[in-house]
Amino acid sequence: CISQDIDHILETQSALAVDLGGTNLRVAIVSMTGKIMKKYTQANPKTYEERIALILSMCKEALKDAVHLNCRILGVGVSTGGRVNPQEGVVLHSTKLIQEWSSVDIRSPISDTLHLPVWVDNDGNCAALAERKFGHGKGVENFVAIITGTGIGGGIVQHNELIHGSTFCAAELGHIMVSLDGPECLCGSRGCIEAYASGMALQRETKRLHDEDLLIVEGLSVKNEEPVNAIHLINAARLGNTKAESVLKTAGTALGVGIVNILHTVNPSLVILSGVLASHYEQPVQQVIRQRALSSAQGIQVMTSDLDEPALLGAASMVLDYSTRRTY
Amino acid sequence: CISQDIDHILETQSALAVDLGGTNLRVAIVSMTGKIMKKYTQANPKTYEERIALILSMCKEALKDAVHLNCRILGVGVSTGGRVNPQEGVVLHSTKLIQEWSSVDIRSPISDTLHLPVWVDNDGNCAALAERKFGHGKGVENFVAIITGTGIGGGIVQHNELIHGSTFCAAELGHIMVSLDGPECLCGSRGCIEAYASGMALQRETKRLHDEDLLIVEGLSVKNEEPVNAIHLINAARLGNTKAESVLKTAGTALGVGIVNILHTVNPSLVILSGVLASHYEQPVQQVIRQRALSSAQGIQVMTSDLDEPALLGAASMVLDYSTRRTY
Ligand SMILES: [Ca+2]
Ligand SMILES: [Ca+2]
Ligand SMILES: [Zn+2]
Ligand SMILES: [Zn+2]
């Protein structure tokens, strides 16, 4: 009947986006225009079974809410830490931040239960996809996205497409090493930019300073039992704590040197930083580029993302780009 | 007449290859099958005028000899240090190893004088082209070539084509940094793999050991006034000099860490090492990959090139590939 057809037309084409991070498991309903219609957050469970069960129950809840929001869900996009084979929808090797998550088929349980098509990619790659569709990467042929959260992820767009490499290990930019030794990294190596500049690395250094009674300065207080983190470190540095400044300076230098290595390898025209620490890193990264990049690479633009949720938006973009390509 | 036509058919389609290195200027006649028919070597002059004049005179000599060798020269391919715009045939920014060689149009003087088409690319890129046409890179979709000479050059083949990047600065692999500080590099930065593992870097360390009377061990002699170099260092290490061993170990580790950074960025299936030091580096590089690369990148193959002249053969391949594509 006619009224149903009109209802159908008035629905917003949307995606379910799932983001599996080192800390949280998040699901969102994302519209075609990149608007997050509703978002759900839980702690990411520690076991495979609980994690899959929670993904499914959160997605089911979101599907119900989508009806009331008049959103038509075209499919599910999943962003996860670890190396992903997006053709198969499988996590090959996880990061240590997510346990029981290697050689895991994510696509089958979700598509079998929800009867929707499912796309999966690495979180850094999703951040790049989000920039390409909704952010500073729109229309840019060659760019790199670097997202700093608990860890550091990256994605490389060349000729407008993500590169995955010969074994789905391209753009593992958090594990670019800038020291022959340097701090230990969760990946098993040392001196990775993730071990210098991630939220986790800054938290480790903040805790070390706090344990040695070197963190607190006038104007800064930490409640008893409150775990210290990168924000305390940044505030301490702002209030004149030179030790905190020095930790942040090393982190910025390490990230900058890692980015120069990327410039000297794939030479993009734009680097987009995202994640809570992005705005703190933009200026030190630009300084390192001026000091240490070849003159031919100096023209690079470094920008801070203006997207609130790059991983979720990138996960959604896999659904929206593919589905609309098929539909129209 | 018929006999002339037969002569023409019997000619070998060939290229003139020019290699502009940090030390020598070389020209070669290279046949379609990658055979070097004749080679000419001179010291690379220190000024622009002398260098261009010498290129032209060596090429003219080679063109005369080509007639007697029954080689039909289809064009000139030039391999040079520095960042090159191959579309324009221009060196944008040179390495400090070649003076007066920035913003230099190489194509025009050669094509104007010799009336032949001219191709130009960076030396590391040429090494990769040589492997693609004549070496281990044949038929490999994604591989990386690293050539160690006076400096360190690199080339990246993705989907069977070289990548040049947004400002012709891709695959400047010698300037991947593996230390926040580290030894000074000619590029103006520090801690580049070229500053650790190039012939020049090893010569610097060998000289330092020799000046401190730490180089000579039983079985090794250096004649008065003879400049020491990497070969003395390698021999000293073989004869049990632990200081020499340690320098070589650091060089191999630095090169290996730089290569792991490449694996975590573009994830090729093969890395080909060339240059005189290649066989010394193959094993340490493989060891660093085992220790420090992500498990998804462990399947990479590392091979030593079996080409005698990668830069010359790659320069020739630009001519041969293009000319035959046009002809047939
Ligand atoms: Ca990635
Ligand atoms: Ca190169
Ligand atoms: Zn790491
Ligand atoms: Zn350098």
Side-chain angles (χ1 to χ4, degrees):
Chain A
C1 81
I2 287 164
S3 85
Q4 249 186 335
D5 280 347
I6 287 172
D7 276 3
H8 182 78
I9 287 162
L10 291 174
E11 281 183 324
T12 309
Q13 303 213 60
S14 305
L16 280 196
V18 179
D19 177 36
L20 290 150
T23 310
N24 289 321
L25 196 174
R26 296 167 333 134
V27 170
I29 302 166
V30 181
S31 79
M32 185 56 86
T33 57
K35 195 174 161 197
I36 294 186
M37 307 297 287
K38 188 149 187 184
K39 191 162 67 178
Y40 312 80
T41 304
Q42 300 274 348
N44 193 345
K46 303 287 178 213
T47 68
Y48 166 80
E49 282 83 7
E50 290 177 279
R51 191 174 301 123
I52 289 283
L54 186 58
I55 293 171
L56 293 176
S57 67
M58 289 172 79
C59 282
K60 281 180 196 164
E61 189 189 345
L63 284 173
K64 270 187 220 148
D65 293 346
V67 175
H68 302 295
L69 291 164
N70 216 24
C71 290
R72 181 156 160 251
I73 302 296
L74 302 169
V76 183
V78 182
S79 163
T80 177
R83 268 63 66 193
V84 172
N85 176 337
Q87 280 128 47
E88 306 283 337
V90 165
V91 182
L92 301 168
H93 298 280
S94 183
T95 76
K96 284 208 177 148
L97 292 170
I98 310 177
Q99 288 149 48
E100 301 192 9
W101 207 238
S102 289
S103 305
V104 166
D105 175 357
I106 305 187
R107 177 178 289 155
S108 300
I110 300 177
S111 70
D112 289 354
T113 307
L114 305 180
H115 306 292
L116 284 168
V118 177
W119 286 263
V120 186
D121 209 335
N122 163 273
D123 48 9
N125 294 4
C126 284
L129 290 177
E131 299 298 339
R132 185 181 68 171
K133 189 168 179 72
F134 301 115
H136 295 313
K138 244 183 279 182
V140 180
E141 199 182 336
N142 299 306
F143 73 90
V144 169
I146 295 182
I147 181 160
T148 307
T150 315
I152 292 183
I156 302 175
V157 169
Q158 271 190 334
H159 305 307
N160 305 305
E161 297 294 335
L162 278 183
I163 63 165
H164 286 95
S166 60
T167 55
F168 306 105
C169 191
E172 276 294 334
L173 305 180
H175 304 289
I176 287 183
M177 292 168 274
V178 294
S179 173
L180 296 183
D181 31 50
E184 280 179 34
C185 184
L186 280 184
C187 73
S189 184
R190 326 181 62 100
C192 298
I193 59 175
E194 178 167 299
Y196 279 105
S198 66
M200 189 172 43
L202 293 186
Q203 185 167 35
R204 177 198 69 215
E205 292 302 303
T206 311
K207 190 171 178 314
R208 189 181 54 75
L209 286 182
H210 196 42
D211 289 350
E212 294 170 12
D213 272 334
L214 295 170
L215 181 68
I216 303 301
V217 284
E218 197 175 325
L220 181 76
S221 63
V222 175
K223 291 191 198 82
N224 264 352
E225 308 295 316
E226 182 189 9
V228 292
N229 62 36
I231 304 304
H232 295 106
L233 188 76
I234 289 165
N235 288 335
R238 281 207 186 118
L239 291 164
N241 181 330
T242 55
K243 300 265 181 192
E245 261 176 51
S246 153
V247 168
L248 284 170
K249 188 165 170 24
T250 302
T253 302
L255 183 62
V257 168
I259 287 174
V260 172
N261 286 346
I262 298 165
L263 305 188
H264 292 171
T265 307
V266 293
N267 183 210
S269 62
L270 171 65
V271 172
I272 304 168
L273 305 175
S274 59
V276 281
L277 297 163
S279 60
H280 297 284
Y281 283 136
E282 183 180 319
Q283 199 266 324
V285 164
Q286 279 172 330
Q287 195 184 334
V288 173
I289 290 172
R290 276 194 302 274
Q291 291 165 341
R292 304 183 67 159
L294 294 169
S295 48
S296 299
Q298 292 285 344
I300 183 86
Q301 254 199 302
V302 179
M303 295 174 96
T304 297
S305 174
D306 57 13
L307 302 178
D308 283 331
E309 293 286 1
L312 284 171
L313 289 176
S317 86
M318 296 189 285
V319 178
L320 299 169
D321 281 353
Y322 189 81
S323 302
T324 52
R325 212 180 292 162
R326 261 196 327 186
T327 309
Y328 297 112
Chain B
C1 79
I2 287 164
S3 84
Q4 249 186 334
D5 279 349
I6 288 171
D7 276 2
H8 183 79
I9 289 163
L10 292 175
E11 281 182 329
T12 309
Q13 303 212 60
S14 305
L16 279 195
V18 178
D19 176 37
L20 289 150
T23 311
N24 289 321
L25 195 176
R26 294 165 336 133
V27 170
I29 302 166
V30 180
S31 80
M32 186 55 87
T33 57
K35 197 172 159 197
I36 293 185
M37 307 298 286
K38 187 148 186 183
K39 191 162 68 179
Y40 312 79
T41 303
Q42 299 275 347
N44 193 345
K46 303 286 178 215
T47 68
Y48 165 80
E49 282 81 10
E50 290 176 280
R51 191 174 302 122
I52 290 284
L54 186 57
I55 293 170
L56 294 176
S57 68
M58 287 171 81
C59 283
K60 281 182 196 163
E61 189 188 344
L63 283 172
K64 270 187 220 146
D65 293 345
V67 176
H68 301 295
L69 290 164
N70 216 25
C71 291
R72 181 156 158 254
I73 302 296
L74 302 169
V76 183
V78 181
S79 163
T80 177
R83 268 64 63 194
V84 172
N85 177 338
Q87 280 128 47
E88 306 284 334
V90 165
V91 183
L92 302 169
H93 298 280
S94 182
T95 76
K96 284 208 178 150
L97 291 170
I98 311 178
Q99 290 148 47
E100 301 191 8
W101 207 237
S102 291
S103 306
V104 166
D105 175 356
I106 304 187
R107 176 178 288 155
S108 300
I110 300 177
S111 70
D112 290 353
T113 308
L114 307 180
H115 307 291
L116 284 167
V118 176
W119 287 263
V120 186
D121 210 336
N122 163 271
D123 48 10
N125 294 5
C126 284
L129 290 176
E131 299 297 339
R132 185 181 70 171
K133 189 169 179 71
F134 301 115
H136 296 311
K138 243 184 279 182
V140 180
E141 200 182 334
N142 299 305
F143 74 90
V144 169
I146 294 181
I147 181 160
T148 307
T150 314
I152 292 184
I156 301 176
V157 169
Q158 271 190 334
H159 305 306
N160 306 305
E161 296 294 336
L162 277 183
I163 64 166
H164 285 96
S166 60
T167 54
F168 307 104
C169 191
E172 276 293 336
L173 304 180
H175 304 290
I176 287 183
M177 292 168 275
V178 294
S179 173
L180 296 182
D181 30 50
E184 279 179 35
C185 184
L186 279 184
C187 74
S189 185
R190 327 181 60 100
C192 299
I193 58 176
E194 179 168 298
Y196 280 105
S198 66
M200 188 173 43
L202 293 186
Q203 184 167 35
R204 176 198 69 215
E205 292 302 302
T206 311
K207 189 170 178 315
R208 190 181 53 75
L209 286 182
H210 195 42
D211 289 350
E212 294 170 12
D213 272 333
L214 293 169
L215 180 67
I216 302 301
V217 284
E218 197 175 324
L220 181 77
S221 63
V222 175
K223 290 192 201 81
N224 265 352
E225 310 293 317
E226 181 190 8
V228 291
N229 61 38
I231 304 305
H232 296 106
L233 188 75
I234 289 165
N235 288 335
R238 281 207 184 120
L239 291 164
N241 182 329
T242 55
K243 300 265 182 193
E245 262 175 50
S246 154
V247 168
L248 284 171
K249 188 164 169 26
T250 302
T253 302
L255 183 62
V257 168
I259 287 174
V260 172
N261 286 347
I262 299 165
L263 304 187
H264 292 172
T265 307
V266 292
N267 184 210
S269 62
L270 170 66
V271 173
I272 304 168
L273 305 175
S274 59
V276 282
L277 296 163
S279 59
H280 297 282
Y281 282 135
E282 185 181 318
Q283 199 266 324
V285 164
Q286 280 171 329
Q287 194 184 332
V288 173
I289 290 173
R290 276 194 302 274
Q291 291 166 343
R292 304 183 68 159
L294 293 168
S295 48
S296 298
Q298 292 285 343
I300 182 87
Q301 255 198 301
V302 179
M303 296 174 94
T304 296
S305 173
D306 57 12
L307 302 177
D308 284 330
E309 293 286 1
L312 284 171
L313 289 176
S317 86
M318 296 189 285
V319 178
L320 299 169
D321 280 355
Y322 189 82
S323 302
T324 53
R325 212 181 291 164
R326 263 198 324 190
T327 309
Y328 297 112

